[in-house]
Amino acid sequence: MKKRIIRFVGFAIIACFTCGVIYINSLLPIITGYSSKYLCSAVFISNRIPGDVEAADLRFSFVQYVKNTVDYKNKSVTSRFLWGHSKSIYRDGFGSTLLRDVDEVVLREIKFPFLTTSNYFQDTIAWPLGNIIPENNTGIDKTALNNITDKLMIHKSYNGNAYAFLVIHKGIPVAEQYKPEFNAKTRFLSWSMAKSFTNALAGIMVKDGKLDIQKPADISDWQKDDRKKITINNLMQMQSGLQWTEEYGNRSDVTLMLYVKKDFAGYALKKPLEFRAGSHWYYSSGSANIVNYLLRKQFKEDSAYYTYAFTRLFNKIGMPNAIFEVDPAGTQVGSSYIYATARDYARFGLLYLHDGIFNGERILPEGWVSYTTTPSAHSNGGYGSFFWLNKGKYYPSAPEDMYSCNGHNGQRIFIIPSKDIVIVVIGYSPKPEGGMNFDLLLKDILRTISN
């Protein structure tokens, strides 16, 4: 009897150990992939010091134990943890790409079409297209706003860790501050604010006659079942009904897509239908990448696809130096991976604040902003089309007409039409432990407006 118990315990220990090894092995590509991709972009796009990134942005969970090696000559980062490793490479124009099921040599041979450069130098022209800031006497209480800036950036009175802070009132920057290691030229990661840029590109394609968002998505894999009824609008309003898990702290659909798979949209579009299209709201980064795949399909050549974001959006709103990263399959990662300056993000907010018009030119089609800010059914007034809404008063201190671009780690572009204001906060403020008190910040900022 005693031998049986010992044998049983031995088998149980072996079984538990085996299961643990299998589970950890399934996490290693995510752990090392996250560190490799994040650090590669931070170093070669944002020009950050690796040790600073590891200490501030990569100091969590198993990621903090990853050993990273930066190769400045070949512009790559290799990350190792236990028996797992991942490598990311930087390419001009494309940004950083995590190598997954793709040959590095082949990937490096694909060149970005350098037809995207703007015909203006921002430091020599006036805001908003350029960086010459006009007189900023807009009636806002500058003394109070400066105090708020210090509370946010120096004293961390609103919790979180802000790297950049910018307030635009009546179209003019009235507050701008950066942590010492950053500046107005630093390009910051958007995380899910990229979804709102996907909204803009879809709108421009509608304006150009390239896209009809009310038609079913043209995806061959969906034609044999009820997925054939899913429209682009369903995807943009997060009502596709596709099965999905959006959890960043574990092995889930979003972490598998971003850190394990080669074709992000291909992974997402293979998901089965869980709810009837248009009947259920659920936030999905997969849906955003499916839309970007559909945008790519509108072009015969990838060169035209890659330049479109620049010629039709970025260059027109003062963002010529933005980077729109791609997955290993070459599709722009419109769920998560845009790198741009705080001023760039503020300019994007101005585009929507002014109903799709920037610097006197209509960029988005008439009615697009109204469509964007119309609540998606079943979202309780919290979501429109790739933008978050405040109609459900998620932020009690802010007006209901406020809407925003939200990033996974506390990145925000708040747009408040009734107050003629755009507020940008960029940094590393993940929930729950480091979550920023945005409602209190909004409350204090809105108090500085006299009208």
Side-chain angles (χ1 to χ4, degrees):
M1 182 68 177
K2 186 177 180 181
K3 289 183 178 180
R4 289 181 180 178
I5 294 175
I6 293 173
R7 189 180 298 116
F8 175 80
V9 171
F11 283 141
I13 292 173
I14 292 172
C16 289
F17 177 77
T18 302
C19 290
V21 169
I22 292 173
Y23 179 66
I24 290 173
N25 188 64
S26 73
L27 291 179
L28 289 180
I30 298 171
I31 295 168
T32 59
Y34 182 98
S35 187
S36 173
K37 167 65 186 66
Y38 194 102
L39 187 59
C40 191
S41 296
V43 170
F44 296 111
I45 298 178
S46 301
N47 297 315
R48 297 179 64 187
I49 298 171
D52 291 347
V53 180
E54 291 170 329
D57 302 39
L58 299 179
R59 196 173 180 81
F60 67 93
S61 187
F62 292 113
V63 174
Q64 65 185 309
Y65 303 115
V66 172
K67 174 65 176 178
N68 302 297
T69 302
V70 179
D71 182 343
Y72 285 93
K73 179 181 178 181
N74 296 303
K75 294 187 176 181
S76 68
V77 173
T78 301
S79 301
R80 291 181 169 84
F81 178 64
L82 297 179
W83 58 89
H85 73 277
S86 295
K87 183 178 182 180
S88 297
I89 64 171
Y90 170 84
R91 295 173 293 156
D92 289 338
F94 291 115
S96 298
T97 307
L98 178 63
L99 299 180
R100 290 290 185 251
D101 297 322
V102 62
D103 185 88
E104 178 180 347
V105 175
V106 173
L107 204 60
R108 286 190 183 277
E109 287 177 350
I110 302 172
K111 304 300 181 183
F112 193 80
F114 286 98
L115 302 175
T116 60
T117 54
S118 65
N119 57 0
Y120 56 86
F121 183 59
Q122 286 185 287
D123 289 342
T124 64
I125 58 178
W127 177 268
L129 202 59
N131 290 322
I132 298 178
I133 309 299
E135 171 60 41
N136 58 7
N137 183 15
T138 64
I140 201 166
D141 187 338
K142 291 295 293 295
T143 300
L145 192 55
N146 289 338
N147 288 336
I148 293 168
T149 302
D150 288 344
K151 287 171 63 179
L152 173 68
M153 302 297 295
I154 299 174
H155 305 297
K156 295 186 178 181
S157 301
Y158 302 98
N159 299 327
N161 187 15
Y163 296 163
F165 176 57
L166 195 59
V167 177
I168 311 294
H169 184 231
K170 296 183 179 179
I172 299 173
V174 291
E176 184 176 13
Q177 186 65 268
Y178 301 89
K179 283 287 175 64
E181 60 267 40
F182 307 103
N183 56 58
K185 302 291 186 180
T186 302
R187 288 177 291 198
F188 297 96
L189 173 59
S190 66
W191 279 121
S192 286
M193 296 196 304
K195 294 179 175 68
S196 301
F197 285 83
T198 298
N199 168 282
L201 290 171
I204 295 169
M205 285 195 181
V206 168
K207 183 171 177 282
D208 288 349
K210 291 179 174 289
L211 200 69
D212 184 344
I213 64 170
Q214 301 302 336
K215 285 186 176 181
D218 180 20
I219 297 176
S220 57
D221 286 6
W222 292 359
Q223 301 312 306
K224 295 181 181 180
D225 53 59
D226 279 348
R227 292 179 298 178
K228 65 178 178 287
K229 299 177 183 178
I230 300 173
T231 65
I232 297 174
N233 177 60
N234 290 149
L235 291 162
M236 294 176 68
Q237 291 192 332
M238 299 297 183
Q239 294 193 108
S240 70
L242 294 172
Q243 185 183 91
W244 191 259
T245 53
E246 187 87 7
E247 297 176 5
Y248 287 86
N250 209 328
R251 180 182 168 89
S252 70
D253 285 322
V254 69
T255 55
L256 285 170
M257 177 182 69
L258 293 178
Y259 306 113
V260 178
K261 302 301 178 179
K262 171 185 177 180
D263 184 348
F264 296 178
Y267 172 76
L269 64 82
K270 285 180 169 47
K271 288 293 180 178
L273 201 66
E274 188 173 12
F275 301 95
R276 179 173 52 83
S279 69
H280 179 79
W281 186 91
Y282 186 79
Y283 186 83
S284 165
S285 289
S287 290
N289 287 327
I290 292 173
V291 172
N292 279 270
Y293 160 74
L294 293 170
L295 299 186
R296 185 182 185 182
K297 284 188 66 176
Q298 309 310 310
F299 299 90
K300 293 181 180 179
E301 307 236 344
D302 275 345
S303 59
Y305 165 64
Y306 294 135
T307 59
Y308 192 82
F310 288 84
T311 58
R312 303 293 286 120
L313 178 61
F314 294 161
N315 289 352
K316 287 182 177 292
I317 66 170
M319 294 181 58
N321 298 310
I323 298 291
F324 201 161
E325 294 185 315
V326 299
D327 67 12
T331 303
Q332 291 168 334
V333 187
S335 67
S336 317
Y337 292 159
I338 286 177
Y339 276 79
T341 69
R343 290 183 180 182
D344 289 341
Y345 291 128
R347 291 178 174 106
F348 183 73
L350 280 178
L351 172 67
Y352 279 80
L353 182 72
H354 296 155
D355 193 38
I357 296 173
F358 193 91
N359 206 33
E361 179 182 359
R362 174 160 288 285
I363 309 298
L364 304 175
E366 290 188 24
W368 187 257
V369 174
S370 177
Y371 153 73
T372 296
T373 56
T374 298
S376 170
H378 318 293
S379 72
N380 296 319
Y383 205 79
S385 171
F386 286 158
F387 273 80
W388 292 90
L389 311 181
N390 199 42
K391 295 186 186 300
K393 295 295 284 184
Y394 180 82
Y395 298 104
S397 299
E400 289 186 17
D401 71 330
M402 185 183 81
Y403 55 108
S404 61
C405 317
N406 294 8
H408 166 59
N409 280 331
Q411 298 78 19
R412 296 289 188 275
I413 305 172
F414 293 110
I415 303 162
I416 311 179
S418 61
K419 301 297 182 180
D420 201 357
I421 197 167
V422 173
I423 302 164
V424 175
V425 183
I426 306 294
Y428 182 73
S429 304
K431 291 183 178 180
E433 59 279 346
M436 185 171 289
N437 189 340
F438 285 113
D439 187 63
L440 179 58
L441 177 62
L442 289 166
K443 181 179 181 179
D444 287 349
I445 293 172
L446 292 174
R447 282 176 173 173
T448 67
I449 301 174
S450 58
N451 56 356

